[in-house]
């Protein structure tokens, strides 16, 4: 007895007539009647007793009905799983990101992504640039997000956001009234530098060199977020990526454009060794949308300032 025959048997047991069963299954009444005859012939025993144009299941038919419950429950679960996969509502996704993106664009994207996919499970880790590359190449993470990128064989990428480094100042800083801060403006003032050897740290040093300004940090830190926290506390000014000032200390920071222009480009990374899952592609779309919203917000803020 195949699955379709069991489905017909169950419908007839529920409705007690072949007409009602046929309506439920979108079949003709003769097709249901013929299916019952075939099933009884195959089984070798009667499945229904016919009384006043109604069909009453035999004990054997009811035994089959009860035994088939588990089959149809499993089938319904399988159909639900297929539907979830088709609509990207379940599964597992691994993500790694450098701090500026991990604390800005990724949380907003992840919130909307998971709200529409409550069955999805996500692994999310914050790493330095080298850890992002290693995580993607080793397939520990399906997606990586980082500021700046050097060519790495085996890694595909897409630019998700192009911005410029900014200068952050403590409240009431002597330069806070200036519409733009140059590297030369910062000479001789308390300054928080990014660690030598880091991608953004070298970019800031290069910008000072291009401006012919001395680079003399009072404090050196590894992460832009740390620089923002120290700037907000009054330690000094800092030149950081455009994402970090939007975090917790953003409300107590003065943020100004920085000259010379120093680009900060955010990338999405994945391995070329395997195609992206449907879930990963859906998350990338979410990040693209958040990037557009972020660009709009930054444009509004720039006009307001």
């Amino acid at each position: 007895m195949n699955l379709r025959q069991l489905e017909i048997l169950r419908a007839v047991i529920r409705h007690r007539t072949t007409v009602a069963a046929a309506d439920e299954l979108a079949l003709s009444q003769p097709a249901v009647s013929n299916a019952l005859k075939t099933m009884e012939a195959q089984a070798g025993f009667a499945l229904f007793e016919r009384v006043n144009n109604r069909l009453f299941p035999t004990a054997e038919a009811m035994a089959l009905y009860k035994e088939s419950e588990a089959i149809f429950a499993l089938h319904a679960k399988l159909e639900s799983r297929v539907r979830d996969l088709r609509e990207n509502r379940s599964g597992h996704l691994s993500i790694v990101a450098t701090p500026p993106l991990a604390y800005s664009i990724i949380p907003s994207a992840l919130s909307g992504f998971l709200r529409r996919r409550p069955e999805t499970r996500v692994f999310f880790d914050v790493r330095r640039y080298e850890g992002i590359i290693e995580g993607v190449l080793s397939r520990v993470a399906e997606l990586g997000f980082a500021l700046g990128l050097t060519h790495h064989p085996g890694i595909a990428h897409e630019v998700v956001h192009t911005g410029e480094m900014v200068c952050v100042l403590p409240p009431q800083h002597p330069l806070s009234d200036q519409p733009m801060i140059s590297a030369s403006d910062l000479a001789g003032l308390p300054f928080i530098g990014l660690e030598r050897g880091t991608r953004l740290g070298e970019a800031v040093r290069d910008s000072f060199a291009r401006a012919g300004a001395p680079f003399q940090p009072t404090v050196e830190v590894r992460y832009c977020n740390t620089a923002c926290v120290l700037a907000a506390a009054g330690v000094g000014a800092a030149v950081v990526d455009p994402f970090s000032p939007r975090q917790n200390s953003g409300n107590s920071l003065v943020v100004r454009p920085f000259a010379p222009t120093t680009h900060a480009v955010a990338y999405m990374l994945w391995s070329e060794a395997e195609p992206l899952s449907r879930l990963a592609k859906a998350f990338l779309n979410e990040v693209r949308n958040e990037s557009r919203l972020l660009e709009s917000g930054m444009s509004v803020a720039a006009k307001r300032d």
Side-chain angles (χ1 to χ4, degrees):
M1 191 174 289
N2 59 42
L3 194 62
R4 185 57 166 169
Q5 288 175 323
L6 279 174
E7 191 175 29
I8 292 171
L9 173 68
R10 290 166 60 83
V12 175
I13 289 176
R14 284 195 300 271
H15 296 288
R16 298 293 197 264
T17 70
T18 55
V19 173
D23 286 342
E24 179 187 318
L25 300 173
L27 296 172
S28 67
Q29 188 275 333
V32 172
S33 295
N34 290 334
L36 291 180
K37 291 176 183 178
T38 300
M39 281 186 273
E40 288 182 327
Q42 291 174 340
F45 52 79
L47 295 172
F48 293 92
E49 294 179 359
R50 291 155 179 82
V51 181
N52 296 327
N53 294 322
R54 293 183 68 81
L55 299 173
F56 292 89
T58 62
E60 292 79 6
M62 288 304 300
L64 292 175
Y65 183 90
K66 292 176 183 177
E67 289 292 332
S68 67
E69 285 287 349
I71 296 174
F72 281 88
L74 183 60
H75 184 255
K77 184 177 180 181
L78 181 61
E79 284 190 324
S80 176
R81 176 63 173 154
V82 170
R83 189 164 52 251
D84 285 346
L85 289 172
R86 182 175 62 246
E87 298 173 2
N88 302 314
R89 293 192 304 190
S90 67
H92 184 270
L93 181 64
S94 296
I95 304 166
V96 289
T98 53
L101 300 178
Y103 302 135
S104 58
I105 194 170
I106 300 300
S108 298
L110 202 54
S111 176
F113 179 77
L114 291 176
R115 188 166 54 249
R116 289 183 287 276
R117 299 168 180 82
E119 298 303 315
T120 296
R121 295 295 174 264
V122 173
F123 170 80
F124 179 31
D125 194 14
V126 182
R127 301 182 178 185
R128 297 183 66 178
Y129 175 83
E130 295 78 9
I132 304 301
I133 300 302
E134 178 187 352
V136 171
L137 285 176
S138 64
R139 299 291 289 171
V140 168
E142 188 170 7
L143 296 174
F145 298 85
L147 283 179
L149 179 67
T150 301
H151 174 69
H152 293 275
I155 288 186
H157 66 271
E158 176 185 329
V159 174
V160 65
H161 186 87
T162 299
E164 297 174 0
M165 300 288 276
V166 296
C167 183
V168 292
L169 308 165
Q172 287 82 48
H173 190 277
L175 299 177
S176 60
D177 290 335
Q178 294 189 193
M180 177 177 287
I181 309 298
S182 70
S184 300
D185 292 332
L186 296 169
L189 296 175
F191 182 70
I192 304 159
L194 300 178
E195 183 182 18
R196 182 182 294 279
T198 62
R199 303 176 68 76
L200 294 182
E202 292 303 319
V204 173
R205 281 171 171 78
D206 179 66
S207 68
F208 273 71
R210 283 187 285 132
F215 184 81
Q216 298 173 325
T218 309
V219 179
E220 282 195 39
V221 299
R222 176 172 296 176
Y223 298 120
C224 289
N225 185 48
T226 309
C228 289
V229 172
L230 294 181
V235 173
V239 177
V240 299
D241 66 83
F243 301 97
S244 295
R246 300 170 61 86
Q247 298 164 34
N248 294 336
S249 59
N251 291 335
S252 54
L253 280 174
V254 176
V255 182
R256 294 288 182 263
F258 174 72
T261 298
T262 306
H263 295 294
V265 183
Y267 291 87
M268 303 188 287
L269 315 173
W270 61 92
S271 172
E272 292 179 334
E274 294 182 30
L276 286 175
S277 66
R278 289 169 57 85
L279 207 58
K281 290 178 181 178
F283 185 69
L284 289 184
N285 282 330
E286 201 79 42
V287 174
R288 292 184 188 106
N289 292 336
E290 285 300 322
S291 175
R292 285 191 285 269
L293 291 174
L294 183 62
E295 286 184 11
S296 299
M298 286 183 171
S299 297
V300 170
K303 292 177 182 178
R304 186 172 58 245
D305 291 342

